[in-house]
């Protein structure tokens, strides 16, 4: 559903959208505008999503929008909105858990390097644990990506629906839902470092929304994010390929900063999603 194609239903001359609706549209445009996203960081895009949800919440507190939403939604529609909000929150929890697991495993590895410099055996053991943790995490993420794919399929709106859903609160909620699902999908792909042929396909779409943060990359490195750099450097050290502990630690420091930024943004997104869910419950329970 393209936001730019919407218009307000009116018995006479169409009125202008509410200023917050226009603000919501602008945030959507920025999130979807591929021409301005290639140099943006993951955290920047998540911050844009937070701004979008702030607009959504503002609209949910407008009496006229509350009345419109209550009038538009059947019981089935209400249940659908509330169910999707829970499913998106579950994905946020999964993302947070994956980030926390990555950080904890990384700290253990850093501790081994600091305390046992030169201890090849200790480093190899802890490195193996880190990579095993990554494998388990990727399995969790694959399941979450499957859930997101199902949600994207379920959220498709038919052309006939588009004619009747304009600048309504329902359409705004649907737009917010769709872009949130897309961005969470990209975030999980960013964390999990997909391999194989599908990786290039996914990266081409993902890089329209996200780019690695803080590390300057040349054209060849631009397809590699902080998680992947740490994994690659770690495997090189384990297999005695040309690499240095110092180079590996540099990648780890960059990854730690990246994780910290993502943790903060995902936590804030979770809170905003909860706030929106509470607003919906209040509207439908009155």
């Amino acid at each position: 559903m393209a936001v730019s194609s919407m218009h307000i239903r009116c018995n006479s001359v169409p009125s202008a959208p509410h200023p917050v609706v226009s603000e919501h549209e602008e945030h959507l445009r920025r999130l979807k505008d591929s021409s301005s996203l290639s140099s943006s960081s993951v955290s920047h895009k998540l911050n844009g999503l937070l701004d979008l949800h702030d607009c959504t919440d503002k609209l949910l507190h407008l009496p006229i929008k509350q009345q419109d939403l209550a009038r538009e939604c059947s019981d089935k529609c209400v249940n659908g909105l509330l169910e999707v909000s829970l499913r998106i929150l579950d994905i946020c929890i999964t993302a947070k858990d994956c980030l926390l697991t990555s950080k904890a495993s990384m700290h253990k590895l850093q501790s081994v390097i600091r305390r046992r410099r030169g201890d090849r055996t200790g480093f190899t053991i802890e490195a193996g644990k880190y990579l095993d943790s990554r494998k388990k995490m990727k399995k969790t993420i694959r399941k979450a990506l499957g859930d997101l794919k199902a949600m994207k399929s379920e959220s498709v709106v038919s052309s006939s629906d588009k004619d009747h859903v304009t600048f309504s609160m329902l359409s705004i909620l649907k737009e917010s839902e769709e872009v949130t699902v897309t961005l969470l999908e990209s975030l999980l792909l960013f964390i999990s470092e997909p391999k194989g042929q599908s990786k290039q396909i996914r990266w081409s779409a993902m890089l329209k929304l996200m780019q690695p943060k803080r590390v300057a990359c040349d054209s060849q490195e631009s397809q590699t994010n902080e998680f992947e750099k740490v994994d690659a450097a770690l495997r090189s050290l384990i297999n005695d390929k040309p690499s240095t502990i110092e180079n590996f630690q540099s990648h780890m420091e960059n990854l730690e900063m990246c994780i910290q930024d993502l943790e903060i943004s995902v936590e804030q997104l979770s809170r905003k999603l909860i706030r929106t869910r509470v607003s919906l419950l209040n509207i439908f329970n009155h």
Side-chain angles (χ1 to χ4, degrees):
M1 180 189 306
V3 178
S4 60
S5 66
M6 297 177 184
H7 58 277
I8 296 182
R9 285 173 293 171
C10 184
N11 293 329
S12 56
V13 179
S15 59
H18 190 281
V20 182
V21 173
S22 299
E23 185 181 351
H24 188 276
E25 283 191 284
E26 178 61 20
H27 287 306
L28 274 173
R29 185 193 64 76
R30 290 176 182 175
L31 286 168
K32 294 179 178 181
D33 185 3
S34 59
S35 65
S36 63
L37 299 176
S38 60
S39 62
S40 300
S41 69
V42 178
S43 294
H44 179 69
K45 296 290 64 175
L46 285 173
N47 287 336
L49 188 62
L50 297 178
D51 291 337
L52 182 74
H53 280 278
D54 279 337
C55 287
T56 302
D57 191 67
K58 289 177 186 177
L59 289 168
L60 284 172
H61 282 83
L62 294 176
I64 189 171
K65 290 298 181 182
Q66 293 175 357
Q67 295 166 11
D68 287 346
L69 186 60
R71 183 172 58 251
E72 289 177 308
C73 291
S74 62
D75 290 341
K76 182 179 179 180
C77 175
V78 170
N79 292 335
L81 287 172
L82 294 175
E83 180 185 353
V84 167
S85 71
L86 273 183
R87 291 166 69 181
I88 292 178
L89 273 171
D90 284 342
I91 299 297
C92 282
I93 292 172
T94 296
K96 285 194 295 184
D97 288 345
C98 289
L99 291 168
L100 287 171
T101 297
S102 296
K103 185 167 67 174
S105 298
M106 184 177 60
H107 285 169
K108 289 180 181 178
L109 195 52
Q110 288 173 321
S111 178
V112 169
I113 293 174
R114 287 194 300 267
R115 291 186 293 105
R116 304 178 184 180
R117 182 171 288 275
D119 181 359
R120 175 73 182 177
T121 302
F123 173 80
T124 302
I125 291 174
E126 201 58 49
K129 290 180 180 178
Y130 176 87
L131 293 175
D132 285 343
S133 174
R134 289 280 290 156
K135 288 180 181 178
K136 292 178 182 178
M137 183 186 67
K138 290 176 185 181
K139 183 177 180 180
T140 299
I141 287 179
R142 282 196 296 271
K143 182 181 183 302
L145 287 171
D147 292 340
L148 286 173
K149 182 178 180 180
M151 290 169 64
K152 290 175 75 173
S153 299
E154 294 166 7
S155 68
V156 174
V157 180
S158 68
S159 58
S160 60
D161 290 332
K162 291 180 182 180
D163 292 334
H164 299 289
V165 182
T166 55
F167 275 131
S168 67
M169 197 60 223
L170 180 59
S171 71
I172 289 169
L173 289 172
K174 286 294 185 181
E175 288 279 13
S176 297
E177 171 192 314
E178 289 171 12
V179 75
T180 301
V181 167
T182 297
L183 190 51
L184 285 175
E185 181 181 44
S186 299
L187 172 62
L188 291 177
L189 287 171
F190 180 85
I191 298 171
S192 65
E193 183 208 337
K195 292 291 186 180
Q197 184 178 6
S198 62
K199 178 179 179 180
Q200 297 301 323
I201 298 173
R202 288 168 175 170
W203 267 110
S204 63
M206 188 182 86
L207 290 177
K208 292 180 180 180
L209 290 176
M210 302 181 176
Q211 283 289 336
K213 191 173 185 179
R214 288 194 173 101
V215 182
C217 301
D218 59 25
S219 58
Q220 183 177 1
E221 290 179 326
S222 63
Q223 299 272 322
T224 308
N225 68 43
E226 284 86 345
F227 287 95
E228 189 172 359
K229 287 179 181 178
V230 167
D231 288 0
L234 186 56
R235 292 191 182 95
S236 292
L237 287 170
I238 292 175
N239 297 324
D240 293 320
K241 293 182 179 179
S243 187
T244 65
I245 286 291
E246 289 73 18
N247 182 54
F248 174 66
Q249 287 179 309
S250 176
H251 288 319
M252 293 276 275
E253 289 171 2
N254 289 324
L255 176 58
E256 185 172 16
M257 289 188 291
C258 175
I259 289 175
Q260 182 177 332
D261 289 336
L262 293 176
E263 274 188 298
I264 293 172
S265 296
V266 174
E267 175 62 29
Q268 290 177 337
L269 177 59
S270 297
R271 292 177 183 177
K272 291 182 187 297
L273 289 169
I274 291 172
R275 186 178 64 185
T276 296
R277 180 175 172 78
V278 171
S279 296
L280 289 173
L281 288 169
N282 287 336
I283 291 171
F284 294 132
N285 288 334
H286 285 82

